[in-house]
Amino acid sequence: MAITLLSSPLQGFTDFRFRNAFHHYFGGIDTFYAPYIRLNGKLKIKQSYQNDLQLENNSTTNLIPQVMTNDADEFLFVVKYVQSLGYKELNWNLGCPYPMVTKSGMGSGLICNPTKIDEILKRAHNETDITVSMKMRMGYEHAEEILDTFPILDNYPLKSIAIHARIGKQLYKGPVDLEAFSRCLDSTKHKLYYNGDITSVEAFQKIQERFPSIDHFMIGRGLIADPFLPSMIKNNTNEYPKNRWDIFSEFHDTIYQQYDEYLSGPTPIKMKMLGFWEYFSQSFSNPQKTYKAIKKAGNQVKYKNAVSEILSKERKLS
Ligand SMILES: Cc1cc2nc3c(=O)[nH]c(=O)nc-3n(C[C@H](O)[C@H](O)[C@H](O)COP(=O)(O)O)c2cc1C
């Protein structure tokens, strides 16, 4: 069975600069989801969201915008905006676990409110011709919450429901709940995508064996930690290309240069790259030492030296 791999959005990481460079150097991803647009009460799209979605900034072919809201007017406003750029689909985020979000009834805090979900979907479908897809957890407090939303969701022609197989309360900790995901498969007519902890080819294969009916898989953190992962999954191999670290190095330099141009001053670029290295370091032989070496680098020259030292060590080991 042919599989489709989707890049799960990470706000602060998978913006257009990252996606374009990723697509160019690694490939393996069929569809990218953009991190969410959030309006915070004002009917205005922030410039950074606009930059992220404008077609001229994106060289990846399939990009799907995402919104996080619990307000129908906001939803419709974002629909109009993404349609004005030419997008045909809008993904709705019902997964974000952070208390600031969930306490105001958004993200995974909205899963327990099928009435509200119904109201928004009804207006989206009555008043626009956008295709809606969902990205959800299975609940905030417990994994059965989603089961009460399925009868509502089944009334609408949603394209798909991507499920991160955790509950909001877990944040990103603890295991994914595959039993509960399996119950979801039996409880809706919609096409489900699997999301959560695909961090290696073996982890992917285990999920695929457990859920043979699933053919769409979303990868979030695993793709940043090991950008070769999607193409290795696609090629069904554990082997890295021979020039693995050269490719990684070019990718790194590309995103570094772009973030350096965009962010002003040494501290923001340092923080940006340190964020990436929290993930990148996980696929290096000594993750902790690698991360520490980057963290310690006090200025841009030291940072560049630290990166080339880390990479040359890794080349010798491979
Ligand atoms: C820092 C961070 C930012 C995230 N931002 C988003 C987001 O903007 N939209 C979204 O749907 N999910 C977001 N997520 C969730 C991921 O897309 C994904 O669903 C989750 O990490 C589980 O998949 P994974 O184990 O493959 O990473 C974010 C996760 C992290 C760690």
Side-chain angles (χ1 to χ4, degrees):
M1 180 167 59
I3 57 148
T4 299
L5 293 183
L6 308 105
S7 154
S8 201
L10 268 76
Q11 190 70 255
F13 294 88
T14 63
D15 69 356
F16 70 95
R17 300 173 186 86
F18 177 89
R19 296 189 303 262
N20 292 342
F22 181 90
H23 187 60
H24 178 76
Y25 288 104
F26 305 106
I29 288 292
D30 301 285
T31 299
F32 289 82
Y33 285 76
Y36 60 76
I37 292 176
R38 191 176 163 192
L39 297 184
N40 289 323
K42 287 188 218 116
L43 292 185
K44 189 173 179 317
I45 311 278
K46 264 199 330 202
Q47 189 59 44
S48 59
Y49 297 143
Q50 296 194 27
N51 294 343
D52 195 41
L53 293 177
Q54 266 148 12
L55 296 194
E56 61 269 27
N57 286 341
N58 283 283
S59 58
T60 51
T61 35
N62 293 324
L63 177 65
I64 299 171
Q66 186 187 64
V67 63
M68 184 161 74
T69 185
N70 60 0
D71 180 275
D73 289 327
E74 280 192 7
F75 195 100
L76 297 187
F77 180 79
V78 174
V79 168
K80 289 224 170 67
Y81 174 68
V82 298
Q83 284 186 323
S84 76
L85 298 179
Y87 293 98
K88 305 267 182 275
E89 177 180 348
L90 181 62
N91 183 262
W92 190 13
N93 178 324
L94 266 67
C96 186
Y98 294 115
M100 290 261 285
V101 166
T102 56
K103 279 191 187 138
S104 55
M106 278 192 268
S108 60
L110 185 56
I111 302 170
C112 63
N113 193 344
T115 313
K116 189 89 193 163
I117 295 172
D118 192 28
E119 177 199 319
I120 293 174
L121 287 177
K122 192 174 278 161
R123 286 198 56 198
H125 288 91
N126 286 347
E127 297 174 37
T128 81
D129 59 356
I130 195 89
T131 298
V132 180
S133 60
M134 314 282 293
K135 180 165 178 289
M136 310 177 64
R137 295 201 183 210
M138 297 182 297
Y140 180 79
E141 284 289 338
H142 55 82
E144 284 73 38
E145 290 167 35
I146 195 170
L147 301 179
D148 294 327
T149 71
F150 282 140
I152 299 295
L153 299 180
D154 279 354
N155 290 332
Y156 296 95
L158 304 174
K159 180 174 169 199
S160 55
I161 306 174
I163 299 185
H164 174 193
R166 283 193 171 84
I167 53 171
K169 213 167 63 172
Q170 281 180 276
L171 297 172
Y172 292 92
K173 294 181 228 123
V176 283
D177 186 346
L178 299 183
E179 263 318 298
F181 182 80
S182 173
R183 274 200 304 274
C184 294
L185 273 174
D186 298 332
S187 312
T188 176
K189 65 169 202 192
H190 285 302
K191 184 168 183 71
L192 299 189
Y193 298 176
Y194 176 84
N195 173 233
D197 292 0
I198 298 181
T199 51
S200 65
V201 177
E202 300 80 63
F204 165 77
Q205 285 165 345
K206 273 196 189 143
I207 296 290
Q208 198 185 26
E209 271 161 37
R210 171 97 189 244
F211 303 112
S213 67
I214 295 283
D215 60 2
H216 283 60
F217 302 85
M218 290 179 94
I219 310 180
R221 294 164 296 171
L223 171 159
I224 305 180
D226 185 353
F228 290 97
L229 179 61
S231 60
M232 295 203 304
I233 289 175
K234 280 278 176 71
N235 297 327
N236 201 11
T237 178
N238 264 318
E239 295 273 315
Y240 288 93
K242 285 212 173 57
N243 55 349
R244 171 182 180 182
W245 296 112
D246 297 335
I247 299 173
F248 180 84
S249 169
E250 284 182 38
F251 164 74
H252 168 275
D253 293 354
T254 301
I255 60 169
Y256 180 88
Q257 193 199 335
Q258 292 190 13
Y259 287 118
D260 196 29
E261 277 166 18
Y262 157 65
L263 299 163
S264 46
T267 307
I269 180 72
K270 164 99 205 243
M271 296 317 290
K272 188 77 178 174
M273 295 314 293
L274 200 56
F276 278 113
W277 278 99
E278 262 183 63
Y279 292 104
F280 292 160
S281 61
Q282 291 168 26
S283 59
F284 282 69
S285 334
N286 189 332
Q288 269 177 330
K289 217 172 149 191
T290 301
Y291 182 71
K292 261 196 193 158
I294 295 289
K295 197 169 175 194
K296 208 171 77 187
N299 60 40
Q300 285 187 310
V301 175
K302 285 185 179 155
Y303 172 84
K304 285 182 182 172
N305 289 341
V307 172
S308 61
E309 217 168 284
I310 286 165
L311 288 174
S312 76
K313 263 191 211 152
E314 217 59 49
R315 280 190 187 96
K316 278 182 200 141
L317 287 170
S318 64

